Amino acid sequence: KVYPMLEKLLKKYPDQVNLIFIDRPFPDIHRWAIPASTAAQIAASHGKFWQMYDKLYTHQDDLEPGFYDDYAAAIGINKAQFQTEFKNGAGSQAVAAASKFSDDLGILETPTIVLHDNASGATTVYIGLNGASAGGPPAPGIMDLIAKPPWLAQAPKK
């Protein structure tokens, strides 16, 4: 649900927004989360992370591992090489490291967006579509970010 929103935001504000993606698969929520993250990390090792990111997020109904080698071939990675790397567990260490990093930051939900304002140094966390779930820390949701991007706020008049 968030992917198309983020893509629109990135296209609308190309000089104000950069996306840094950190894997944090939640296999209890999504059966194919870890294999899909692993496929993206293998693609990253070939310099094709964002292309695989796009494939995976635009094929949400086809995230079983059997599709990944075709996705890899479609973005210019040798299919047989990708299959071998996937079977051998390439990318899994990167996924584990990113997951640990996210856990250390206290990211417990997906999607979570951490927005850092380089000008002011302020950091805001957006959790889920509509804000933190019950029991979580108070935080705005991604719909709040989309509706009112903080970089559009006018500077206070002097």
Side-chain angles (χ1 to χ4, degrees), residues 54-102:
D54 286 335
K55 281 287 183 196
L56 294 169
Y57 277 96
T58 57
H59 292 84
Q60 289 287 305
D61 293 332
D62 299 319
L63 286 180
E64 295 88 359
F67 291 101
Y68 303 158
D69 55 349
D70 287 333
Y71 297 161
I75 63 172
I77 300 172
N78 178 282
K79 189 174 184 174
Q81 182 178 358
F82 181 88
Q83 287 174 335
T84 300
E85 291 176 13
F86 190 82
K87 285 178 187 174
N88 290 336
S92 59
Q93 285 184 329
V95 172
S99 293
K100 182 182 179 325
F101 177 74
S102 294

Side-chain angles (χ1 to χ4, degrees), residues 11-26:
K11 285 179 184 166
K12 189 171 182 177
Y13 304 105
D15 297 329
Q16 289 92 359
V17 179
N18 292 311
L19 178 62
I20 299 169
F21 188 91
I22 300 171
D23 276 306
R24 181 49 184 105
F26 290 96

Side-chain angles (χ1 to χ4, degrees), residues 90-147:
S92 59
Q93 285 184 329
V95 172
S99 293
K100 182 182 179 325
F101 177 74
S102 294
D103 290 348
D104 291 348
L105 291 176
I107 295 173
L108 304 173
E109 294 186 41
T110 185
T112 295
I113 293 178
V114 179
L115 183 73
H116 178 76
D117 183 330
N118 290 336
S120 71
T123 299
T124 307
V125 178
Y126 297 85
I127 300 174
L129 284 174
N130 297 307
S133 62
I142 293 166
M143 295 302 289
D144 298 313
L145 170 64
I146 301 299

Side-chain angles (χ1 to χ4, degrees), residues 26-34 60 63:
F26 290 96
D28 294 344
I29 297 170
H30 195 294
R31 177 181 181 180
W32 306 116
I34 290 176
Q60 289 287 305
L63 286 180

